[in-house]
Amino acid sequence: MSTRRNFLKQTGAVLGYGSLFQAGIPLFAQNTPANPSFSPSTYMGAASLAARAARTRLPYGCAVVPEMLNVEMDYTRTIIEQCSILVAENSMKWAAIHPQPNTFNFAGADKLLAFAGEHKMQLRGHNLCWHQALPSWFTKTMNRGNAKAMLVQHIQTVAGRYAGKLHSWDVVNEAIHVQDGRPDGLRKSPWLELIGEEYIDIAFHTARQADPHALLTYNDYGIEYDVPHDDQKRAAVLSLLRRMRKRKTPIDAVGVQSHLRAGTQDTIGDGLEHFLQEVRKLDLQVFITEMDVDDSHLTGDADQREAAVAAVYKQYFDLMLRDSQVTAALTWGITNRYTWLNHEHPRKNGDYQVPLPFDSNYQPAKAFFALGEAFGRRKVQSAAPVLTAKVNDAQAI
Ligand code: G3I
């Protein structure tokens, strides 16, 4: 097992001290971050992922479980060292934050906000409207007569509580599901059944009124690969975004979840590049919101699987970071010890999956180096990204 000191050698050896300097990455802590409000921490002196990403004003971070912060100390330290932006994996979803019709539980979200503030990190909100992670009372309480009011009340309460304190919100999550067969590709979610397509506009307008400063995001998965399903889904997402723009729905960004996979023949390229071009035409930023790489299709030992996963990180981030409208990057967790993939897509032999930048012992995995090098290769953006929402579109519903 590599020690932390070995890591420093590894970092130097793998990335080459020269290449770090060439990439403009201060090898050792120098408080000259692109984003003055964030002083990138270091990992035993070597530049952290956040420090490398900060060179082009790109916040890097991960999904976290607030209950583990300041409790599991390796987890906590790795997040502090490596991240400049966080998102709650589950604590801000309906099931966690709205456990009863008239009860809200902000404990996890408040703890995360305090932690982010203490460590000068930004915080994403995830999410205000989704077909999953709905509380047990939802089905028996919601109906066509009250659904709109309940959605508005939820967003006013939750987004209002954190107004002015968040980088962005995933306002609507995963509203497109082409397999449901609708011409518009919309998912037959409870929200669509109860309110109709206008639930999306209601959610975004309410979020803008509740928090005029957060960047309002439409977040989805399955839009990354050059495969028929993703082609169809990208077309449906673009069609939705164009309708939203036409209706002057307040939206600032698209979240590309980036749940990728290693060990398949599927490729990423023209389809995603075209999607980014079309999103740019809509004047929307792009966030990489939930990156990880599923290795359950792979055989081989962890080292071999890490190499395949790292190759996906390299190829994907080199493609995505060529685009200046990509203005945030988060992985869906930071360590292979805690990833949803070990539950949802477990490896048949029970081994940990290796989808994230740190291994199950909090040592840098191959994906760490691939990600850090991709951040280092990114050309410095001419203009700083727009970090606050254009609030002039906060109109009444
Ligand atoms: O908190 C309860 C606990 O009280 C209970 O004992 C336990 C066993 O039933 O369940 C716990 O809730 C689980 C929750 O994670 C917190 O651990 C839910 O069952 C489980 O379904 C939930 O899974 C999350 C999933 O979203 C659904 O909300 C995953 O951790 C999370 O990684 C995953 O993340 C999603 C993004 O939000 C959206 N994009 C896709 C991504 C992966 O599915």
Side-chain angles (χ1 to χ4, degrees):
M1 180 195 310
S2 62
T3 65
R4 294 168 75 85
R5 184 164 301 285
N6 285 353
F7 160 66
L8 191 55
K9 285 185 195 138
Q10 278 176 22
T11 306
V14 169
L15 299 176
Y17 289 105
S19 69
L20 280 175
F21 277 114
Q22 280 154 16
I25 298 291
L27 187 59
F28 292 94
Q30 291 165 1
N31 286 326
T32 55
N35 171 356
S37 68
F38 170 67
S39 56
S41 59
T42 63
Y43 187 87
M44 293 291 287
S48 69
L49 291 173
R52 293 180 187 146
R55 187 178 62 84
T56 62
R57 296 188 179 85
L58 184 75
Y60 163 76
C62 70
V64 297
V65 178
E67 292 74 14
M68 288 169 51
L69 294 173
N70 297 327
V71 174
E72 164 124 13
M73 295 319 291
D74 284 341
Y75 178 80
T76 304
R77 180 174 53 243
T78 305
I79 286 165
I80 293 169
E81 287 169 343
Q82 299 298 329
C83 298
S84 63
I85 186 169
L86 301 177
V87 64
E89 185 170 4
N90 293 299
S91 305
M92 296 174 88
K93 294 172 181 173
W94 274 64
I97 211 165
H98 198 166
Q100 296 302 330
N102 298 309
T103 309
F104 288 86
N105 174 4
F106 296 113
D110 287 356
K111 178 179 179 183
L112 183 53
L113 184 68
F115 181 89
E118 180 187 352
H119 298 287
K120 297 187 177 57
M121 297 177 184
Q122 300 184 82
L123 184 61
R124 300 204 68 239
H126 175 82
N127 53 61
L128 294 172
C129 182
W130 191 25
H131 64 283
Q132 284 191 32
L134 293 169
S136 53
W137 58 264
F138 186 92
T139 308
K140 53 181 179 280
T141 306
M142 296 289 241
N143 57 55
R144 286 195 171 81
N146 65 12
K148 191 184 290 189
M150 296 285 282
L151 177 60
V152 168
Q153 184 229 15
H154 177 89
I155 295 174
Q156 286 175 337
T157 305
V158 177
R161 182 182 182 88
Y162 302 111
K165 299 173 181 169
L166 300 187
H167 166 273
S168 53
W169 266 109
D170 287 336
V171 177
V172 170
N173 199 47
E174 304 175 7
I176 298 292
H177 192 57
V178 292
Q179 296 94 317
D180 282 352
R182 284 176 53 103
D184 56 15
L186 286 178
R187 180 183 298 272
K188 293 179 178 172
S189 76
W191 297 109
L192 185 75
E193 306 297 332
L194 288 165
I195 300 173
E197 177 176 356
E198 70 165 327
Y199 85 88
I200 297 171
D201 299 70
I202 289 167
F204 276 89
H205 278 290
T206 308
R208 179 69 98 224
Q209 287 169 336
D211 183 354
H213 301 285
L215 292 168
L216 303 186
T217 312
Y218 172 74
N219 190 46
D220 217 329
Y221 68 93
I223 51 178
E224 298 88 1
Y225 282 92
D226 284 340
V227 295
H229 166 272
D230 291 22
D231 287 340
Q232 289 175 49
K233 188 160 183 178
R234 279 190 290 267
V237 169
L238 284 171
S239 173
L240 170 62
L241 297 172
R242 289 172 185 136
R243 294 199 303 277
M244 290 171 74
R245 269 291 189 242
K246 200 166 177 183
R247 296 192 293 246
K248 297 198 183 317
T249 308
I251 178 171
D252 307 295
V254 180
V256 182
Q257 290 186 12
S258 311
H259 291 296
L260 307 183
R261 49 195 178 266
T264 73
Q265 298 305 311
D266 299 336
T267 59
I268 291 172
D270 295 347
L272 182 55
E273 286 180 330
H274 174 71
F275 178 79
L276 294 174
Q277 288 160 13
E278 292 305 308
V279 168
R280 170 190 291 278
K281 290 176 189 171
L282 296 170
D283 190 23
L284 294 171
Q285 295 182 52
V286 174
F287 303 148
I288 297 168
T289 50
E290 306 184 14
M291 174 78 175
D292 51 26
V293 181
D294 180 337
D295 72 24
S296 58
H297 300 276
L298 283 173
T299 55
D301 63 25
D303 198 55
Q304 292 164 321
R305 290 183 283 118
E306 276 198 23
V309 164
V312 175
Y313 271 85
K314 177 187 185 305
Q315 196 248 339
Y316 187 71
F317 271 87
D318 278 352
L319 184 155
M320 290 293 272
L321 297 184
R322 278 199 294 271
D323 202 312
S324 61
Q325 81 208 53
V326 174
T327 55
L330 294 93
T331 48
W332 204 241
I334 193 82
T335 167
N336 297 331
R337 175 180 294 264
Y338 301 112
T339 166
W340 69 288
L341 288 169
N342 284 330
H343 307 287
E344 299 293 317
H345 301 227
R347 293 188 54 77
K348 290 186 179 58
N349 62 3
D351 286 348
Y352 279 126
Q353 279 226 30
V354 292
L356 293 167
F358 282 79
D359 72 15
S360 54
N361 295 311
Y362 297 96
Q363 298 303 310
K366 288 178 169 56
F368 170 89
F369 297 102
L371 189 51
E373 289 180 359
F375 289 152
R377 280 191 294 270
R378 191 185 203 192
K379 288 188 175 34
V380 177
Q381 314 304 314
S382 49
V386 175
L387 293 181
T388 54
K390 301 182 182 70
V391 295
N392 57 8
D393 57 14
Q395 299 150 348
I397 304 170

